[in-house]
Amino acid sequence: MLKIAELCVTLHGILEKSLIRMKKIKTTYLLIAILLGLTACTKTDDTTVTLYDDAAIGSFTLGNVKRVVNGVKSTVAGSTYAFHIDQMTRTIYNTDSLPVGCDVSRVVCSIATYNNSGAFLISEDETTMTYYNGTDSIDFTKPRKFRVIASSGNGYNDYTIKVNVHKQDPEAFVWKKMSNAPTMTALRIIEFGEHIYLFGNEGGTTKGYKTANGEEWTPITLPALTQADAWENAVANSDSLYILDGTAIYRSSDAQTWTKDESTLPDGITLKRLLGASTTEVYAQATDGSLVTKYCDDELPIWVEAKDETESSFGELPTEDLTIVSYPMYLSDSTDYVLMAGNKFDGNEWSSRSWRRIVDYSETGIISLLKQYIATIIQDEDSYPEWIRKWTYLDRGNDHRYELPALKNVQIVWYDDVLLAFGGKGLTETIEPMTGILKSRDNGITWKADNDYAMPPKDGESIFDLSTSSFSAAVCNGYIWIVCADTGEVWRGQLNRVAWEK
């Protein structure tokens, strides 16, 4: 224990040692800080205090922050943004950035230290430092350093504090023109892993490429394909790429090595094209127009013919511009919602058609039950129970309000927990190709235009070329990707908040 008078002399020496690199010290503030710290120390009698070796920041909190967005002023409670303290690197930062427009050039903060160690703000040029009392505003537009000195004088630690502020509006949807992809007369893109894969007709032959960033397109190895339109039949589930070439199906987990898929088809069924996939299934259309499902399980190498829930003849299936999108079903673990849409000519005009399938691939779901079922019966396709085959037609009846319009080459993606759709020209009304995005919040039953989403710009420095005859869209790593044939244009769209989360 030290007497207070002795302690002051001792601390003066400590400060001189810890601040020896500083050119100038505001001594008055330092003495005040020391005396304030002493009053909070644990007293053993009227003239002695206990000193500690701790020199650390225990918590950091921002005060209110002024914000201006489009001329509108407001205040953000900085205390609602948690700051992470990394004691190993002595860095402090907020993982959730403050909203765009926040002014952090004059902000008050609260700093709590361990065992009365003192916190001192180091000037930006590191020539002076001042005891921080929690009332002076600080410029946090750049990282700031604090020095924390132990009350015992046995050392200090320097901390760097960084206040992160969004530079962009998290709710803004923006497009960026990327490097052109190889030019093709027709194409299809799909997401697989962390890449976007491009399949298309290049010089009368199916070629494939991939990209992770939209700046470089790398050729992939394809099997010895015989059909120029094999590109139309490329799909991907959670672990494999598939491509149909004539009657042969090839499968790859890396787009380099391909093996022939020998899954058994129902008697009399020949595949016409692959349509899409969910986590554990692949969907195809047979030459007779029916739907079939492949279960992507090595123990279950079969295709099963689909069955309509209403026991119809699938007369309302779309016949043109078929597209399939699969996404996790809300609040249901290991379950996919699969939406199929496209167009059909009913004798008078074109109109859209939508179907859905729900796939439970949990340990007690369809795959597990199908294995048990096949283990107990002879594999007779007519014996498959209805729940294995089921698709449901989303019948709107005579209510055509907010239905998906019949769009040439319609594209549907799942993004930010909603469905987004766009396409080429309208088949029944005057709709300019690729000019608007429709949104569905109810799994494809109703569709409405949404101003939060827009197609790439038609003016400005980067102009979206509407002359393309073929295009394809997919979602990967928080971005919406559009690749156009003929022009090779590639556009990457993002809702800032979604892209940041990825």
Side-chain angles (χ1 to χ4, degrees):
M1 301 297 179
L2 296 174
K3 301 294 185 181
I4 289 180
E6 297 173 343
L7 179 60
C8 288
V9 173
T10 302
L11 289 179
H12 271 297
I14 293 168
L15 289 171
E16 289 180 0
K17 292 179 181 179
S18 65
L19 305 177
I20 192 169
R21 289 183 298 173
M22 302 293 183
K23 298 178 181 178
K24 181 179 178 183
I25 304 173
K26 294 186 178 180
T27 309
T28 302
Y29 286 105
L30 298 180
L31 290 175
I32 292 174
I34 295 167
L35 294 176
L36 288 174
L38 294 177
T39 61
C41 292
T42 304
K43 293 186 179 181
T44 57
D45 54 43
D46 291 339
T47 59
T48 60
V49 294
T50 302
L51 304 179
Y52 299 91
D53 293 334
D54 297 315
I57 293 178
S59 68
F60 177 88
T61 307
L62 278 185
N64 291 335
V65 182
K66 294 180 180 180
R67 186 187 184 204
V68 180
V69 178
N70 296 326
V72 179
K73 298 179 180 180
S74 61
T75 301
V76 174
S79 59
T80 61
Y81 290 81
F83 277 75
H84 174 72
I85 301 178
D86 188 334
Q87 298 292 1
M88 296 296 293
T89 61
R90 303 285 192 268
T91 54
I92 301 174
Y93 56 92
N94 53 319
T95 53
D96 186 8
S97 298
L98 295 174
V100 65
C102 280
D103 180 9
V104 293
S105 63
R106 293 177 60 85
V107 184
V108 173
C109 64
S110 176
I111 298 176
T113 61
Y114 288 110
N115 290 329
N116 301 312
S117 48
F120 299 84
L121 174 64
I122 299 176
S123 63
E124 292 187 55
D125 61 4
E126 299 190 8
T127 61
T128 64
M129 72 179 191
T130 306
Y131 172 72
Y132 187 69
N133 58 18
T135 61
D136 296 329
S137 61
I138 301 174
D139 183 358
F140 279 113
T141 56
K142 297 179 180 179
R144 297 304 302 271
K145 289 185 178 181
F146 278 77
R147 177 161 295 184
V148 182
I149 303 174
S151 60
S152 67
N154 292 329
Y156 64 88
N157 286 309
D158 287 345
Y159 285 79
T160 299
I161 300 177
K162 182 179 181 182
V163 177
N164 295 312
V165 181
H166 282 306
K167 303 301 182 184
Q168 299 173 315
D169 181 357
E171 298 302 324
F173 186 78
V174 296
W175 289 95
K176 179 181 179 182
K177 192 175 188 301
M178 313 302 290
S179 298
N180 280 7
T183 303
M184 298 179 168
T185 56
L187 52 79
R188 184 179 197 179
I189 62 170
I190 56 177
E191 173 205 7
F192 182 59
E194 298 296 315
H195 292 79
I196 286 290
Y197 285 79
L198 166 64
F199 298 88
N201 186 323
E202 184 180 305
T205 304
T206 292
K207 298 290 186 179
Y209 300 86
K210 70 176 182 179
T211 185
N213 54 21
E215 298 294 348
E216 298 177 347
W217 291 87
T218 304
I220 63 173
T221 300
L222 292 176
L225 302 175
T226 61
Q227 305 295 314
D229 62 354
W231 62 269
E232 293 185 273
N233 301 297
V235 301
N237 72 333
S238 61
D239 61 13
S240 296
L241 287 162
Y242 292 84
I243 190 165
L244 172 66
D245 180 48
T247 59
I249 300 176
Y250 297 95
R251 174 182 177 182
S252 175
S253 61
D254 58 8
Q256 296 296 323
T257 303
W258 296 80
T259 58
K260 196 170 182 179
D261 187 275
E262 302 290 354
S263 298
T264 303
L265 281 163
D267 290 342
I269 293 295
T270 303
L271 298 185
K272 177 181 180 181
R273 65 168 297 189
L274 299 185
L275 300 175
S278 58
T279 302
T280 58
E281 298 180 341
V282 170
Y283 309 106
Q285 187 177 35
T287 52
D288 63 1
S290 63
L291 295 179
V292 287
T293 299
K294 169 183 165 55
Y295 294 95
C296 304
D297 188 298
D298 291 336
E299 298 178 36
L300 204 64
I302 61 170
W303 290 83
V304 174
E305 193 170 4
K307 184 174 183 180
D308 177 14
E309 185 178 43
T310 60
E311 299 184 357
S312 73
S313 61
F314 277 103
E316 296 301 326
L317 279 174
T319 57
E320 301 290 336
D321 307 309
L322 271 74
T323 183
I324 283 182
V325 60
S326 171
Y327 49 93
M329 193 168 178
Y330 185 60
L331 296 180
S332 296
D333 184 46
S334 301
T335 304
D336 286 340
Y337 191 102
V338 183
L339 178 71
M340 175 178 62
N343 302 314
K344 178 179 174 62
F345 191 73
D346 61 9
N348 296 311
E349 63 178 2
W350 287 96
S351 57
S352 67
R353 297 290 191 275
S354 298
W355 291 71
R356 64 118 164 127
R357 174 172 171 79
I358 296 175
V359 185
D360 175 3
Y361 56 90
S362 65
E363 292 183 358
T364 58
I366 287 178
I367 299 296
S368 174
L369 294 174
L370 186 56
K371 287 179 181 179
Q372 297 175 31
Y373 186 79
I374 291 178
T376 58
I377 65 171
I378 299 175
Q379 294 191 35
D380 179 357
E381 66 187 53
D382 293 330
S383 300
Y384 290 129
E386 183 177 326
W387 49 262
I388 294 176
R389 302 177 169 194
K390 187 183 298 183
W391 283 81
T392 302
Y393 174 44
L394 301 183
D395 189 358
R396 294 288 304 276
N398 294 322
D399 185 2
H400 299 294
R401 293 175 300 173
Y402 308 120
E403 71 178 357
L404 180 68
L407 299 172
K408 186 65 177 175
N409 193 24
V410 63
Q411 305 289 304
I412 300 179
V413 297
W414 175 253
Y415 189 75
D416 192 33
D417 296 335
V418 296
L419 287 167
L420 302 177
F422 66 91
K425 68 178 182 178
L427 297 178
T428 59
E429 51 189 314
T430 303
I431 299 178
E432 191 176 0
M434 301 178 74
T435 55
I437 292 181
L438 299 168
K439 180 167 71 174
S440 175
R441 295 181 178 273
D442 54 11
N443 296 310
I445 298 175
T446 61
W447 298 85
K448 297 179 181 180
D450 194 300
N451 293 331
D452 292 338
Y453 297 92
M455 294 300 292
K458 290 182 290 184
D459 51 21
E461 294 183 5
S462 296
I463 301 175
F464 186 54
D465 190 346
L466 296 177
S467 66
T468 181
S469 61
S470 176
F471 49 87
S472 183
V475 171
C476 185
N477 296 328
Y479 299 103
I480 298 175
W481 297 81
I482 297 177
V483 181
C484 302
D486 300 328
T487 64
E489 277 193 27
V490 179
W491 288 82
R492 189 185 72 185
Q494 68 181 69
L495 184 62
N496 287 333
R497 168 175 48 79
V498 177
W500 294 340
E501 290 173 357
K502 295 294 183 179

